[in-house]
Amino acid sequence: MGDKASTLFSVARGSKRMIAVRVATDGYGRPVPEVGPDGVRAWSQTFSLLNSPPIGGHAYRSIRAGSHDLAVHIAPLDNTDHGRITVVTFTQRFWLTNKLSVSLECEQWASPTASGVDTFPLAANERCPFHWPKDKEEQLLRVRPAPGSCSHVPGYVPSPKEGWSSGFPIDSPGKFIVHCEQGVSTQEEGWWDSLLRIVVQARSGRSHTLHAKTSVAL
């Protein structure tokens, strides 16, 4: 089933309307193996296609399929067949939008002893889907200005472990401020004024555009 495609599907008799899904191709059109290099299967756990009560209500589910975080919206087709036709819509669960005028680096927050953290860039005004690299660990995101892209403190070039915000959640709606240190220690005068403040806003979508979208803006 291709991107933005629709298809008819009938569940097998006796299946209790339970299905599993997987992502077949990545963002470059390359096949996704059914078992990844880390031994994780690409298929999700089975989930129900039944609507939520009351009868005819919409259902919203979040599933993990291999290394992908997906959202599922289940609802009856409006004004047809007395609700016996169900529309199931899949989409990316998380979208990150950088509304800053500078590029960012993003990564999943990890303890100081963790290894293998995946860092990725997010250019100014760029929007991209996001999947937790390590879904078994604490699901917090952290960001920082890409080295060399911000002159908040002239001449400051952070090391790989410097300049990051604290970890913050993106799975529930909210608006808050995170701070990125810019090379001034807490013991130095002017530390508070040197901090780069970033407003983070997480919005939850519904219906056919179901997703939790994190928009980062100054």
Side-chain angles (χ1 to χ4, degrees):
M1 183 174 176
D3 186 30
K4 298 182 179 179
S6 299
T7 186
L8 293 175
F9 176 77
S10 298
V11 295
R13 181 167 297 181
S15 66
K16 299 181 180 180
R17 298 189 182 182
M18 303 285 287
I19 67 168
V21 299
R22 72 180 182 93
V23 175
T25 59
D26 63 15
Y28 300 98
R30 299 171 301 194
V32 175
E34 291 200 29
V35 179
D38 52 1
V40 176
R41 295 183 70 248
W43 288 95
S44 71
Q45 297 290 328
T46 57
F47 59 93
S48 174
L49 295 179
L50 292 175
N51 299 331
S52 295
I55 295 174
H58 293 209
Y60 304 94
R61 291 178 172 76
S62 299
I63 61 175
R64 179 81 175 183
S67 60
H68 296 84
D69 294 290
L70 305 178
V72 187
H73 173 229
I74 304 171
L77 187 62
D78 293 336
N79 304 318
T80 59
D81 202 30
H82 303 286
R84 287 180 290 183
I85 297 176
T86 299
V87 178
V88 182
T89 305
F90 299 93
T91 187
Q92 312 277 2
R93 184 181 177 194
F94 299 109
W95 289 88
L96 302 182
T97 304
N98 180 9
K99 292 187 176 181
L100 297 173
S101 59
V102 299
S103 298
L104 292 174
E105 288 187 336
C106 310
E107 67 179 27
Q108 184 173 357
W109 179 91
S111 66
T113 58
S115 60
V117 177
D118 295 323
T119 302
F120 63 93
L122 191 65
N125 299 311
E126 182 182 3
R127 179 175 181 263
C128 72
F130 173 72
H131 308 278
W132 293 111
K134 301 179 184 295
D135 67 305
K136 302 299 182 185
E137 297 184 9
E138 192 166 11
Q139 295 186 348
L140 298 174
L141 188 72
R142 69 176 187 171
V143 299
R144 72 172 182 176
S149 68
C150 182
S151 59
H152 192 62
V153 175
Y156 173 62
V157 179
S159 72
K161 294 186 178 181
E162 293 180 330
W164 291 98
S165 72
S166 57
F168 53 87
I170 62 172
D171 59 353
S172 57
K175 186 176 182 179
F176 47 89
I177 296 175
V178 297
H179 301 85
C180 299
E181 293 191 347
Q182 298 292 288
V184 180
S185 71
T186 55
Q187 288 76 32
E188 293 182 65
E189 184 178 354
W191 168 77
W192 179 251
D193 292 333
S194 74
L195 295 176
L196 178 65
R197 294 162 175 82
I198 296 177
V199 177
V200 179
Q201 185 167 9
R203 296 189 181 96
S204 271
R206 283 296 181 263
S207 74
H208 294 290
T209 56
L210 174 69
H211 56 259
K213 182 177 71 175
T214 297
S215 297
V216 183
L218 279 177

